[in-house]
Amino acid sequence: MSKIESFDDFVKVHGILLAASGLPSKLYPRLFHKLASDTFDGGDYFQIESSEDDRRRKLLLTSESMPKDSDVFLVDHAWTFRLPDAYKQLKEIPGLAERMASLMSVDIDVGAEEEEVEEELSVYQIIDNEIRYAADKGYDSLRWLELEGLGIVDDSLLSLHLPSQFQDLVALSLIGNKIESVDVVIQEVIKFKNLKALWLNDNPVLHKSERQMADEILQGCPSLEIYNSCFTPNYGLWALGFCGDIFGKDNPGCVQQDHPLCNVTSLDLSNRSIHNLVNKAFSVHEMPLLSHLNIRGNPLDQNSVGELLEVLKLFPSLSSLEVDIPGPLGDNALEILESLSNLSLLNGVDTAKIFENGKHVIDSMLQPRIPEPNPEDTLVDRVIDAMWLYALNYRLADEEKLDETSLWYVMDELGSALRHSDEPNFKVAPFLFMPSGKLESAVSYSVMWPIKNSQKGDECTRDFLSGIGEDKHRSARLTAWFQTPENYFIHEFEKYQQKLQAKAFESLPTNPSVSRSIRHSDGSPLLVYTDLPQVEEFLTRPEFVITNEPKDADILWTSVQVDEELKKEVGITDDQYLNQFPFEACLVMKHHLAETIQMGYGSPKWLQPTYNLETQLSQFIGDYYVRKRDQLNNLWILKPWNMARTIDTSITDNLSAIIRMMETGPKICQKYIEHPALFKGKKFDLRYVVLVRSIDPLEIYLTEIFWVRLSNNPYSLEKHSFFEYETHFTVMNYGGRKLNHKPTAEFVREFEQEHNVKWMDIHEKVKQVIRAVFEAAALTHPEMQSPKSRAMYGVDVMLDSSFEPKILEVTYCPDCMRACKYDMETVDGKGIVKGRDFFNYVFGCLFLDETAHVTPL
């Protein structure tokens, strides 16, 4: 077929794609017409508008009405890319970064206004202006002073003499300066005797002894109610009044008033680190009109659920409550509502609807994740961070194979203006139009059609997680686009941590070998069937002879999984030896490896924190939030469960990116070793070969050679480097990349000189780690044992900057090209293993009870 000209041809070629899109069949002719005529008529029916509450755009219907399934619209793809190419394309394709930045609303200069203020006014000018402002308001002295982002350092803070100038100061903000000395801060601050609020946020001093500094400041300023945006244990009417918009710059609250909060109807106490809500200031006596209360993000750990509910019951006007669920009021929305019967809204959801649906955990007030560009970021960096809020993906396939990596795309301005709804009125699906009937002619679009009746002025929405329910962690996955309750995920993480810490198996004893040689008693050679060219070429010992018939072989050494179906088909019996163990997936699949180690040892230091995103997404998000809170490194590596050669593997610190990449297949998320040991400035890992004769008792051997795999580029933590394969990855013998083979003995000598270490000390630690990995498998999966299994595994290890080994992965039937190609010096430097003899030693160990060039573990 040279060109699709009729509707029947269109359906014949695109039938599978049409069915997959979910488009109603009655709209097929309409779609064909628009594709054939290249008609983009969305602008006649819709209008893009800026949102009032943030920088995002939204899409409104401008036609009078649009019935369900009445029309279909083409949406162009403004950018299509494979993930490794994203950074390069944004840098090199003219106008692409600018268009994407505009579409994603990250093209603004967020620092412009602050810089203008900083250039125009000095600290002293600002203080003079504040004094005049207070006088104009009728105050005899300055009570409220904001000196934010002015570059104030320790010496300049002292030289301002603020305590002697402004003895009546009630609130002082020094946010975003460069104050470093704990002693200077304490010395100055405790001179203020009437201070109610102090903000030191975003100053270097908070990275040093913060707890000690806070304690001393609270001792010296007993009236302080707010410290660094958090409530102190001394909080009272002033702090509540500040959050209720009663007290502020125009009304510092310095004049004594009876019941200053009597007119407060709405109170936002979210994220104030409140530990105790039982406080005489927080009472119906002081706030009789309180109708809306937000207490999200507070531990409230000094109150029981019962105490909190009793306090809240006393507010007769309280009709709307926002609280973390699970959280301080329990983990069941229905139980909260039964106790607080006056509520009409819980977390923004109508209480009648909650009772109707019977949901325990509810939240409709999720705020969107708005890109927050750093002024120092380049335009490309801003787009890379923001694109996960907009990008979608698909994977190409033909009759022969599925593409190894997904294609990501960003819809044009109209498509990208569709916001999320759990109850959307439109559906969108990717569609490949093949005008010649062949895949090479394909042009990608999205198709959009109404799935509900809509009226003029209605916002047009889509479900960002269409078809994904709670069985696939829908609520947690919404974290990619929305600010979900952090406390819930942190709680899930802490429970998971406690469970891991309770694990601790005793090490297995190292017993004498029980495996014996399988030589024939008549001295005839053992027949070996293999589909591996390296074995066929290099297994040259007379004790072994290669056969082309699997059913005749004594030993099957194969790269394919041998299951019962294959055994039956080929004629393999249970009397033949096989180079794989039953249930070895517990080692060789990445998610199972982590699970096996965690079941055996909890969280040993030699395994980086690892999460199976298909089952542990909430726990991972909690870990991410804890690290963010504690200002720890949050760089993670995502790896597919069962793909080799780093296919579909990514490195990022972007939470939205991590969650979105679940869409391209099951993955583990593992804490990236951000500070690895380097060799001449480059990253490396180590491939060891382990021979397993038996699982019970555990009998394993380490070959006396290993090889180092080096990256090609100097190591870097610059953002752009995460898109550079040859900076962060070490597998170079695929894809036409330059492979720099480094002889192991040469590497060891140079590494010892560079880092002043003894390699044999490191090697002993590596041996212990490898032994522990296989012990974990033997302890947790005794079903692996099989008397007819003898196998070889590749074990990949990386050293951190303290030269501690970290396990990366275990590989079934590893590629031993280097072992066969190069003669290698043994680890102890006392011998040479000829490449051509590598498989002779391997088979000698596994099948002839020999121990030449191997070490028992």
Side-chain angles (χ1 to χ4, degrees):
M1 186 183 298
S2 59
K3 186 178 181 184
I4 291 175
E5 295 184 352
S6 71
F7 174 68
D8 289 343
D9 287 344
F10 170 71
V11 173
K12 184 178 179 181
V13 169
H14 298 87
I16 294 174
L17 291 167
L18 288 164
S21 72
L23 184 72
S25 57
K26 70 177 185 178
L27 291 176
Y28 290 1
R30 185 84 171 135
L31 176 60
F32 172 59
H33 167 72
K34 292 191 177 186
L35 286 166
S37 58
D38 205 25
T39 299
F40 291 87
D41 56 349
D44 298 336
Y45 299 85
F46 308 99
Q47 180 178 324
I48 301 169
E49 280 195 5
S50 295
S51 178
E52 298 168 3
D53 53 345
D54 54 55
R55 297 194 304 275
R56 298 177 311 153
R57 298 178 178 89
K58 57 185 177 182
L59 192 66
L60 301 182
L61 185 66
T62 55
S63 61
E64 287 303 318
S65 66
M66 187 169 290
K68 174 183 176 182
D69 297 340
S70 60
D71 206 347
V72 62
F73 301 92
L74 289 183
V75 178
D76 201 8
H77 290 174
W79 180 29
T80 301
F81 58 95
R82 294 192 192 274
L83 197 51
D85 302 327
Y87 196 92
K88 188 168 185 269
Q89 288 185 10
L90 288 167
K91 290 282 284 185
E92 295 180 0
I93 298 176
L96 178 62
E98 289 74 14
R99 182 181 180 186
M100 289 298 104
S102 173
L103 183 151
M104 298 173 188
S105 301
V106 292
D107 55 344
I108 58 170
D109 188 351
V110 293
E113 291 181 15
E114 293 177 1
E115 287 171 11
E116 278 181 26
V117 172
E118 188 175 333
E119 288 173 5
E120 289 179 7
L121 297 175
S122 69
V123 176
Y124 295 100
Q125 288 172 316
I126 289 173
I127 291 174
D128 288 343
N129 288 348
E130 295 291 314
I131 292 171
R132 282 195 294 272
Y133 182 85
D136 291 343
K137 289 288 183 181
Y139 296 113
D140 55 3
S141 62
L142 185 64
R143 311 293 174 90
W144 192 287
L145 182 58
E146 297 176 8
L147 301 174
E148 299 179 356
L150 298 171
I152 296 171
V153 297
D154 299 334
D155 289 343
S156 51
L157 179 62
L158 290 170
S159 68
L160 291 172
H161 303 293
L162 296 178
S164 57
Q165 285 195 77
F166 311 114
Q167 299 171 3
D168 298 326
L169 208 61
V170 172
L172 173 62
S173 176
L174 295 166
I175 291 173
N177 285 293
K178 298 178 180 178
I179 300 164
E180 295 189 29
S181 170
V182 171
D183 293 337
V184 167
V185 170
I186 294 171
Q187 172 189 321
E188 291 298 285
V189 167
I190 62 174
K191 295 175 184 175
F192 294 107
K193 298 306 175 187
N194 300 308
L195 202 62
K196 296 284 188 184
L198 173 65
W199 292 277
L200 295 167
N201 311 54
D202 198 19
N203 273 281
V205 70
L206 294 185
H207 300 312
K208 308 174 182 177
S209 309
E210 184 182 3
R211 185 70 264 162
Q212 177 196 343
M213 182 171 71
D215 291 342
E216 293 198 34
I217 287 174
L218 288 174
Q219 281 182 359
C221 302
S223 299
L224 196 67
E225 297 189 26
I226 294 179
Y227 174 67
N228 293 345
S229 305
C230 299
F231 279 21
T232 72
N234 303 327
Y235 83 89
L237 287 173
W238 193 93
L240 294 171
F242 173 77
C243 293
D245 294 327
I246 301 297
F247 301 134
K249 186 175 180 178
D250 291 341
N251 177 22
C254 45
V255 179
Q256 290 296 323
Q257 298 172 256
D258 288 333
H259 309 300
L261 312 186
C262 61
N263 292 319
V264 170
T265 59
S266 180
L267 187 60
D268 184 356
L269 300 181
S270 60
N271 301 305
R272 293 289 177 182
S273 293
I274 302 171
H275 294 271
N276 186 358
L277 201 60
V278 179
N279 182 300
K280 65 180 181 180
F282 186 80
S283 67
V284 67
H285 178 69
E286 295 293 347
M287 296 179 289
L289 304 180
L290 185 64
S291 61
H292 173 79
L293 175 65
N294 185 349
I295 52 173
R296 292 178 186 270
N298 292 294
L300 296 173
D301 47 2
Q302 294 178 17
N303 305 128
S304 68
V305 172
E307 283 177 322
L308 291 170
L309 290 171
E310 287 303 315
V311 168
L312 297 177
K313 280 180 187 176
L314 297 175
F315 291 89
S317 301
L318 187 63
S319 59
S320 174
L321 176 66
E322 291 184 51
V323 63
D324 296 331
I325 305 175
L329 293 185
D331 56 8
N332 191 311
L334 297 174
E335 291 177 5
I336 294 172
L337 292 178
E338 286 166 3
S339 298
L340 303 175
S341 55
N342 287 345
L343 290 182
S344 58
L345 289 175
L346 179 58
N347 289 353
V349 179
D350 190 302
T351 54
K353 191 173 180 181
I354 298 170
F355 281 118
E356 181 184 329
N357 295 334
K359 281 191 176 181
H360 289 186
V361 180
I362 51 92
D363 210 322
S364 76
M365 300 294 286
L366 297 178
Q367 296 301 308
R369 286 188 183 277
I370 305 300
E372 298 177 357
N374 185 323
E376 298 171 2
D377 284 346
T378 66
L379 198 66
V380 171
D381 288 335
R382 296 181 187 189
V383 171
I384 290 290
D385 280 341
M387 70 185 188
W388 299 103
L389 305 177
Y390 296 89
L392 298 96
N393 65 83
Y394 59 84
R395 189 170 288 196
L396 295 174
D398 58 24
E399 295 85 354
E400 296 179 4
K401 67 170 187 173
L402 180 70
D403 206 351
E404 287 181 334
T405 58
S406 295
L407 282 163
W408 291 84
Y409 63 95
V410 175
M411 292 188 289
D412 65 13
E413 285 73 6
L414 185 143
S416 292
L418 285 160
R419 298 199 294 186
H420 169 77
S421 172
D422 287 337
E423 299 175 351
N425 52 3
F426 280 79
K427 186 169 181 181
V428 177
F431 189 82
L432 283 181
F433 178 47
M434 296 176 279
S436 75
K438 303 285 187 183
L439 187 60
E440 55 263 26
S441 69
V443 182
S444 66
Y445 301 96
S446 287
V447 292
M448 165 182 152
W449 69 97
I451 56 174
K452 287 182 179 177
N453 298 331
S454 299
Q455 303 299 317
K456 184 175 183 177
D458 285 353
E459 182 176 355
C460 305
T461 58
R462 67 179 180 91
D463 184 350
F464 286 0
L465 290 170
S466 180
I468 295 175
E470 285 306 325
D471 59 324
K472 297 286 186 183
H473 311 288
R474 179 182 177 85
S475 293
R477 288 172 76 159
L478 282 172
T479 303
W481 297 276
F482 296 96
Q483 303 283 358
T484 49
E486 294 188 7
N487 275 10
Y488 167 75
F489 294 108
I490 290 173
H491 181 60
E492 290 296 301
F493 165 66
E494 289 172 344
K495 284 194 300 184
Y496 172 69
Q497 280 291 90
Q498 289 168 5
K499 186 178 173 184
L500 283 184
Q501 287 163 6
K503 302 278 186 186
F505 272 126
E506 292 291 325
S507 291
L508 291 172
T510 305
N511 294 315
S513 171
V514 296
S515 300
R516 293 292 173 257
S517 168
I518 67 167
R519 281 187 175 95
H520 293 308
S521 56
D522 63 2
S524 60
L526 294 164
L527 297 182
V528 177
Y529 170 81
T530 184
D531 57 4
L532 292 164
Q534 290 168 357
V535 177
E536 197 167 345
E537 180 180 356
F538 293 107
L539 182 59
T540 56
R541 296 181 59 156
E543 296 95 332
F544 302 96
V545 172
I546 302 295
T547 176
N548 294 324
E549 279 295 334
K551 66 179 185 300
D552 296 337
D554 298 298
I555 300 166
L556 295 159
W557 194 275
T558 174
S559 60
V560 300
Q561 187 69 38
V562 177
D563 54 20
E564 291 304 317
E565 186 178 337
L566 185 61
K567 282 183 177 181
K568 189 174 179 182
E569 180 184 332
V570 177
I572 298 171
T573 70
D574 291 337
D575 293 326
Q576 294 171 285
Y577 283 85
L578 186 62
N579 69 325
Q580 50 198 243
F581 279 84
F583 304 99
E584 67 185 5
C586 72
L587 286 169
V588 300
M589 292 187 73
K590 297 179 185 72
H591 61 307
H592 288 322
L593 173 63
E595 183 182 67
T596 296
I597 294 169
Q598 289 161 351
M599 285 172 63
Y601 295 104
S603 51
K605 66 180 183 179
W606 41 266
L607 175 71
Q608 290 289 93
T610 305
Y611 298 89
N612 178 357
L613 293 181
E614 295 296 305
T615 58
Q616 299 172 314
L617 179 59
S618 292
Q619 292 83 351
F620 160 70
I621 294 172
D623 192 344
Y624 185 97
Y625 281 147
V626 167
R627 289 173 185 277
K628 183 179 177 184
R629 179 195 69 195
D630 297 343
Q631 298 183 321
L632 300 174
N633 179 277
N634 235 335
L635 198 58
W636 298 80
I637 183 166
L638 288 99
K639 307 175 185 178
W641 282 358
N642 199 26
M643 294 278 267
R645 313 196 314 269
T646 62
I647 293 168
D648 199 20
T649 300
S650 304
I651 301 163
T652 184
D653 61 1
N654 186 313
L655 180 58
S656 296
I658 292 168
I659 297 170
R660 295 296 313 284
M661 280 191 265
M662 292 174 66
E663 297 168 26
T664 65
K667 290 181 178 62
I668 64 163
C669 185
Q670 190 171 69
K671 183 66 191 66
Y672 193 59
I673 304 169
E674 71 273 15
H675 297 301
L678 301 178
F679 178 68
K680 298 183 178 178
K682 295 178 180 179
K683 186 176 173 181
F684 68 91
D685 64 20
L686 308 166
R687 164 61 63 90
Y688 291 85
V689 176
V690 177
L691 308 179
V692 183
R693 287 185 186 173
S694 167
I695 292 293
D696 184 15
L698 185 61
E699 195 175 329
I700 56 178
Y701 295 82
L702 189 66
T703 62
E704 288 188 349
I705 60 168
F706 68 90
W707 53 95
V708 60
R709 303 185 298 189
L710 290 159
S711 63
N712 286 338
N713 297 341
Y715 184 67
S716 169
L717 286 174
E718 293 290 326
K719 268 189 179 181
H720 65 82
S721 77
F722 301 137
F723 293 87
E724 297 170 359
Y725 182 96
E726 297 188 25
T727 299
H728 288 273
F729 298 106
T730 59
V731 180
M732 299 296 165
N733 48 328
Y734 301 95
R737 296 184 178 92
K738 180 184 177 185
L739 172 62
N740 291 313
H741 172 68
K742 186 73 174 175
T744 303
E746 195 177 303
F747 163 79
V748 167
R749 283 192 290 272
E750 293 178 17
F751 188 86
E752 288 182 328
Q753 290 171 1
E754 180 180 353
H755 295 288
N756 194 26
V757 293
K758 291 182 179 178
W759 186 262
M760 289 309 293
D761 293 341
I762 295 170
H763 185 63
E764 284 303 313
K765 292 180 183 178
V766 170
K767 285 164 59 178
Q768 291 168 15
V769 167
I770 292 175
R771 166 83 187 181
V773 169
F774 285 87
E775 277 189 1
L779 288 162
T780 60
H781 293 282
E783 66 272 18
M784 278 185 71
Q785 171 58 15
S786 167
K788 294 294 183 177
S789 294
R790 308 278 172 97
M792 174 173 74
Y793 298 97
V795 179
D796 296 337
V797 172
M798 185 173 288
L799 305 178
D800 67 15
S801 56
S802 300
F803 313 111
E804 294 295 328
K806 306 282 187 178
I807 193 76
L808 298 182
E809 62 182 274
V810 177
T811 305
Y812 161 71
C813 202
D815 180 354
C816 292
M817 177 273 291
R818 292 199 211 192
C820 297
K821 186 176 180 180
Y822 301 103
D823 296 344
M824 296 193 193
E825 195 173 314
T826 56
V827 179
D828 58 12
K830 295 178 180 177
I832 297 288
V833 178
K834 296 286 186 183
R836 64 175 182 270
D837 286 331
F838 175 75
F839 274 108
N840 289 333
Y841 292 127
V842 167
F843 274 66
C845 174
L846 289 176
F847 301 108
L848 303 181
D849 196 25
E850 297 175 353
T851 55
H853 295 306
V854 298
T855 303
L857 291 181

